[in-house]
Amino acid sequence: MCGILAVIGKRLSEEKIGGLSKRMSHRGPDESDVHVTEEGYVLSHERLSIVDLETGKQPIQGTSTAWMIHNGEIYNHQALRNNELKHHTFRTTGDSEVIVHLYEEFGVDFLNKLDGVFSFVVVDGKDFIAARDPIGVKPLYYGTDDEGSIWFASEMKTLVDQCSSFAAFPPGHYYTPETGFVEYYTPDWFNYKKATKDLDLSKIRESLIEATRKRLMADVPLGVLLSGGLDSSLTSSIAARLMKDSGQKLHSFSIGLDETAPDLVAARKVAEFLGTEHSEFHFTVEEGIDILKKLVWHLETYDVTSIRASTPMYFLSKGIKEKGVKVVLSGEGADEIFGGYLYFKNAPTSDDFQKETIRRVQRLATADCLRADKSTMAHGLEARVPFLDKAFLKIAMETVPVHKLPKTYDGVEKYILRKAFDTPEQPFLPDEVLWRQKEQFSDGVGYSWIDELIAYASAKVSDEQMAKASEKYPYNTPVTKEAYFYREIFHSHFPQENAAKTVKRWIPKWQDDLDPSGRANTSHVATNAKKQLEELAQI
């Protein structure tokens, strides 16, 4: 994983482009390089070396005139080398180089041959193509300056003061000067009516195992983010099984306010069950508040739930990197695919449920994928997400939605995912974790984190400021003092209107309380317990 920057149409000095690229040096702390083509196009790369540590430096030249920069991982690179590209001569043994050779072999019609995550730019003479992976696991922004030059970068902060207009590059698209934006990823499951496949628990299980297997590809130490929730616990369990005979020890990591945090308690059980080398980190509310300004600069969002959840993930990533691990598996995507958020229990119909899962998966690039990438890459740590594997998505998203609807199974969210891995003869997880209720990450680190954060932010914003919020921020007007507080921080870093428009807010549906915390849903166990205690007190 890395940071990329390309400028098409303007000749800049290597010193100038290098300085701009260094704004993303956290993404690639291992090495950096710049290449200026004969036409004056500029490609810059900040590298985090994961595969091919010796020869994988970028920008990479193809067979002759084409050059490329890439952020991401191509999991089927060896199969492509052995088949479609078997007549090509390669300069590296890394996964990235196949992209430039595929371009040379097939022109722009090669994106669906890639199995992995990516944002890249390939330049060949005056021609070029930029593209982003199907779901938007890896970030990419584009813009134009006053002279008409086109810019592409992994993070918005590189473009904001150079481009007169800029935006997030849409996932599942490529761009060329001849075609403009083209959507190359249009699976059947984008249409909710195509979810017609019978439930097959073994296919779901085997597909996720294979998705995890691909993501063990690394020439550096690898670990797992283990919150103790279903999603991260499953990927940890699968990874532990796959690595069992390799002689490698699987490292697992979790974080909370203290040792009593719900996630930490569950994570310890899983780590002991799996036999991982487990590390636990703690942070205080004060420490979380202290890094908010820096965190928002890294995240490039003012979305409330993203900031709440990214704070512990930021501290966790820092601790992991300090222990020498550079790659981790993470559970992002499962809640969107299987309707795991508690509000999904209130879906009026199975069609409504399916439409919402599709909407959530399609917007992951503005929410959980953004959070997972930027809060880990702030410390040069790469997060891989097996649940967003294309083959797994096809199986899970095309399953008849009534099988995923929580009310079908007494309100048990993600029931079919749990059932697929409920194998008593060779259990993947302890029962109490396999069937644990959904706990959003920002809640699971300790309930006082959000409660005290809201109190702090509210104290910093006056009633007068809130009354004039729509005047100052007409786009995505903040509706709570906490949201206003984050918007102020974001605005201090990125005052441009274009910057504000790159952000999408995460808002639950089908419930009265629209706070993004899972505890806002009346079915949350802690919420129910509190309500029952209040009722008892009145008797």
Side-chain angles (χ1 to χ4, degrees):
M1 296 300 180
C2 312
I4 66 172
L5 171 61
V7 184
I8 311 295
K10 176 186 289 186
R11 186 180 292 273
L12 296 173
S13 68
E14 291 193 18
E15 181 180 6
K16 170 72 171 178
I17 199 73
L20 294 171
S21 187
K22 282 301 177 186
R23 295 178 183 178
M24 304 181 293
S25 60
H26 48 274
R27 298 188 66 87
D30 294 331
E31 58 183 338
S32 61
D33 202 4
V34 176
H35 176 73
V36 181
T37 70
E38 292 182 3
E39 287 73 23
Y41 298 168
V42 183
L43 301 176
S44 183
H45 190 260
E46 305 295 326
R47 187 185 185 208
L48 176 65
S49 51
I50 302 295
V51 177
D52 184 13
L53 307 185
E54 300 300 324
T55 66
K57 189 175 181 179
Q58 297 187 40
I60 298 175
Q61 186 177 13
T63 302
S64 56
T65 58
W67 286 80
M68 62 142 285
I69 45 176
H70 165 233
N71 170 33
E73 302 287 348
I74 307 302
Y75 301 118
N76 65 333
H77 75 101
Q78 196 59 55
L80 291 168
R81 287 170 180 262
N82 295 340
N83 296 286
E84 289 93 334
L85 303 175
K86 62 184 177 182
H87 301 302
H88 286 241
T89 300
F90 287 81
R91 302 173 189 270
T92 75
T93 60
D95 57 294
S96 297
E97 191 180 348
V98 295
I99 293 171
V100 68
H101 289 274
L102 286 169
Y103 173 82
E104 291 174 332
E105 185 74 21
F106 299 103
V108 300
D109 189 24
F110 70 90
L111 276 300
N112 285 311
K113 297 181 184 295
L114 296 173
D115 183 7
V117 296
F118 52 83
S119 58
F120 69 77
V121 178
V122 177
V123 172
D124 187 12
K126 292 187 175 181
D127 294 327
F128 71 90
I129 178 174
R132 192 176 182 190
D133 66 71
I135 303 300
V137 173
K138 303 315 299 174
L140 187 63
Y141 296 84
Y142 71 99
T144 56
D145 61 23
D146 291 335
E147 299 173 28
S149 299
I150 303 176
W151 295 60
F152 300 97
S154 294
E155 295 191 358
M156 183 174 66
K157 59 181 63 69
T158 309
L159 307 180
V160 289
D161 56 352
Q162 303 297 313
C163 295
S164 50
S165 65
F166 54 90
F169 197 104
H173 286 68
Y174 70 80
Y175 178 93
T176 74
E178 292 79 20
T179 63
F181 282 102
V182 175
E183 187 174 19
Y184 69 86
Y185 183 67
T186 55
D188 286 346
W189 59 262
F190 275 12
N191 181 348
Y192 77 97
K193 295 181 179 179
K194 297 293 183 71
T196 58
K197 299 292 193 301
D198 290 336
L199 176 61
D200 190 327
L201 296 176
S202 63
K203 276 189 177 180
I204 290 173
R205 181 172 59 252
E206 294 307 315
S207 181
L208 185 59
I209 291 172
E210 179 55 31
T212 306
R213 185 193 310 276
K214 297 174 191 176
R215 285 157 179 81
L216 298 180
M217 179 185 78
D219 296 329
V220 295
L222 182 143
V224 290
L225 301 183
L226 180 55
S227 71
L230 174 67
D231 314 329
S232 67
S233 296
L234 275 181
T235 54
S236 299
S237 177
I238 295 169
R241 289 187 177 209
L242 293 173
M243 292 174 63
K244 186 176 181 180
D245 298 326
S246 69
Q248 295 176 278
K249 189 73 173 178
L250 182 62
H251 298 266
S252 60
F253 305 95
S254 58
I255 191 167
L257 292 177
D258 57 44
E259 64 277 359
T260 66
D263 277 358
L264 291 186
V265 174
R268 284 185 217 116
K269 293 179 182 178
V270 177
E272 183 178 1
F273 181 83
L274 300 179
T276 62
E277 188 74 37
H278 190 58
S279 298
E280 185 174 296
F281 301 96
H282 300 153
F283 75 104
T284 67
V285 173
E286 293 73 21
E287 288 172 330
I289 290 171
D290 285 346
I291 59 99
L292 285 175
K293 187 174 180 65
K294 185 176 184 179
L295 181 71
V296 171
W297 181 81
H298 276 292
L299 294 179
E300 303 178 328
T301 186
Y302 48 81
D303 173 59
V304 169
T305 192
S306 295
I307 293 170
R308 287 176 177 178
S310 292
T311 307
M313 202 164 189
Y314 178 90
F315 287 117
L316 178 60
S317 301
K318 182 177 184 292
I320 293 172
K321 190 62 182 294
E322 288 173 352
K323 284 187 172 290
V325 173
K326 298 176 72 171
V327 184
V328 289
L329 300 184
S330 190
E332 273 72 30
D335 288 312
E336 288 74 13
I337 296 166
F338 293 101
Y341 297 113
L342 296 182
Y343 75 82
F344 273 92
K345 295 181 181 182
N346 302 326
T349 68
S350 60
D351 281 348
D352 291 314
F353 178 95
Q354 184 69 9
K355 290 177 184 176
E356 179 67 358
T357 62
I358 294 168
R359 186 178 79 93
R360 281 294 182 206
V361 172
Q362 290 178 326
R363 292 182 69 162
L364 272 167
T366 66
D368 282 24
C369 285
L370 180 149
R371 169 184 56 78
D373 176 88
K374 292 183 180 177
S375 56
T376 54
M377 290 299 284
H379 299 288
L381 177 69
E382 174 189 328
R384 295 179 178 175
V385 285
F387 282 102
L388 297 181
D389 181 82
K390 284 194 300 184
F392 179 76
L393 276 170
K394 178 176 174 60
I395 292 170
M397 295 298 291
E398 291 183 2
T399 298
V400 176
V402 70
H403 292 301
K404 292 188 280 185
L405 196 63
K407 63 183 64 174
T408 307
Y409 302 103
D410 277 340
V412 179
E413 78 282 354
K414 292 185 286 193
Y415 177 85
I416 64 173
L417 180 60
R418 300 175 193 272
K419 194 63 179 173
F421 287 89
D422 189 1
T423 55
E425 66 285 354
Q426 287 186 314
F428 279 82
L429 293 170
D431 272 359
E432 63 267 31
V433 175
L434 183 64
W435 296 97
R436 181 189 178 201
Q437 185 182 65
K438 167 65 184 174
E439 190 82 85
Q440 286 176 214
F441 184 53
S442 51
D443 289 322
V445 297
Y447 296 153
S448 61
W449 162 236
I450 289 180
D451 296 342
E452 293 187 38
L453 186 58
I454 292 173
Y456 176 85
S458 298
K460 293 292 184 180
V461 179
S462 68
D463 292 340
E464 183 180 2
Q465 285 176 299
M466 284 303 299
K468 297 181 178 180
S470 61
E471 296 176 24
K472 185 170 185 178
Y473 300 118
Y475 178 81
N476 256 349
T477 303
V479 296
T480 67
K481 289 187 175 182
E482 182 189 12
Y484 190 100
F485 178 68
Y486 300 149
R487 187 64 175 271
E488 289 276 83
I489 297 174
F490 179 89
H491 188 75
S492 71
H493 292 308
F494 311 111
Q496 301 85 354
E497 183 179 359
N498 284 331
K501 289 183 175 179
T502 65
V503 178
K504 304 293 182 185
R505 291 185 295 173
W506 197 103
I507 302 173
K509 295 179 71 171
W510 306 314
Q511 66 184 43
D512 294 332
D513 188 338
L514 297 183
D515 187 280
S517 166
R519 289 181 293 142
N521 191 284
T522 55
S523 68
H524 187 275
V525 286
T527 304
N528 283 335
K530 180 180 179 182
K531 182 180 179 182
Q532 290 166 7
L533 287 172
E534 290 172 347
E535 289 172 348
L536 286 171
Q538 295 172 2
I539 296 175

